Amino acid sequence: MSKIVNGASLQPRSGNAPKKIVLLLHGFGSSGTDMISLAPQWQEALPDTLFLAPHAPQRCGMMGAGYQWWGLSGFAPSALTAGAASAAPAIDAFIDRKLAQYDLTEADLALVGFSQGTMMALHVGLRRPRAVAAIVGYSGMLAGTLGLAHDASPKPPVLLVHGTADPVVPIAALHMSESELKRLGVDVTTHISYGVGHSVDPVGLRLGRDFIAEAFARSS
């Protein structure tokens, strides 16, 4: 299993020890350095939160400076499911280390992903033995439901945000993911950003921030 050993982080704005963690999972060919840019815009609403944006363990062969959770060879459901499953142990181990380090539980953790990172946030977050507080996914999709249908463990609330003009992951992925999550009994909220491409607009950022803040308030 590859191990996550580096990335970017932002300490709690309050200056206190972390009471919550937001784990930010970047997209294919990107990095934690890019993904951590969301954090300053959320700090005021989440003052006691530690933001962690690790680099995926694998260098991206197609983009020399970036990283990948797995080699993205296609969007066939079987390939996505296998890829996400192969990358999950590294993220689970990272989560376990950080929760232990700060004496926190899954109720104190939110997962946020972008694109391939959304696939990982959903794959990992829906399969933890104890539910995380929330999952927010931007411009991504659910990479398969293998093992979820008969899994009785509690599931966290999910927010999915997607742009109608996304040329990388089509908006249809949002509708498919929403349908599958609802079928599994997951409490899912969606937002469609009209005219937005493969990115996150200010409305999507605000919705993600508020979704996490409300989830943390419920779990406290």
Side-chain angles (χ1 to χ4, degrees):
M1 180 187 76
S2 300
K3 185 177 181 181
I4 294 172
V5 295
N6 54 16
S9 64
L10 192 62
Q11 294 295 316
R13 180 175 177 171
S14 66
N16 299 326
K19 296 178 182 177
K20 307 290 182 185
I21 294 175
V22 169
L23 179 61
L24 301 160
L25 302 175
H26 65 76
F28 181 82
S30 185
S31 69
T33 307
D34 289 336
M35 198 67 182
I36 200 68
S37 64
L38 274 65
Q41 302 173 73
W42 289 0
Q43 272 193 307
E44 186 172 349
L46 302 165
D48 290 320
T49 298
L50 169 66
F51 293 88
L52 298 173
H55 303 328
Q58 298 180 18
R59 280 284 184 179
C60 183
M62 295 171 62
M63 302 175 185
Y67 298 83
Q68 63 187 23
W69 297 104
W70 76 89
L72 201 58
S73 57
F75 282 93
S78 58
L80 295 179
T81 300
S86 71
I91 296 175
D92 273 318
F94 183 79
I95 290 172
D96 291 342
R97 291 201 309 274
K98 293 303 176 180
L99 292 181
Q101 179 180 349
Y102 295 104
D103 193 25
L104 299 173
T105 71
E106 277 85 352
D108 306 310
L109 171 70
L111 305 184
V112 179
F114 178 80
S115 195
Q116 193 184 48
T118 291
M119 299 183 209
M120 292 313 311
L122 289 168
H123 185 94
V124 170
L126 294 172
R127 290 170 173 82
R128 296 283 298 182
R130 292 190 291 178
V132 301
I135 301 172
V136 176
Y138 294 107
S139 304
M141 62 191 295
L142 181 66
T145 60
L146 185 65
L148 287 175
H150 304 293
D151 180 1
S153 59
K155 300 293 184 284
V158 172
L159 170 66
L160 298 177
V161 179
H162 214 116
T164 58
D166 192 329
V168 179
V169 183
I171 187 65
L174 173 88
H175 303 302
M176 178 278 291
S177 300
E178 180 185 19
S179 176
E180 286 292 292
L181 289 169
K182 285 183 174 177
R183 184 178 63 80
L184 293 165
V186 176
D187 179 10
V188 56
T189 303
T190 61
H191 174 76
I192 295 173
S193 299
Y194 289 93
V196 174
H198 197 60
S199 62
V200 186
D201 69 350
V203 174
L205 275 178
R206 176 176 54 79
L207 290 172
R209 176 201 68 195
D210 293 349
F211 191 79
I212 291 170
E214 289 166 11
F216 280 160
R218 287 193 303 270
S219 66
S220 295

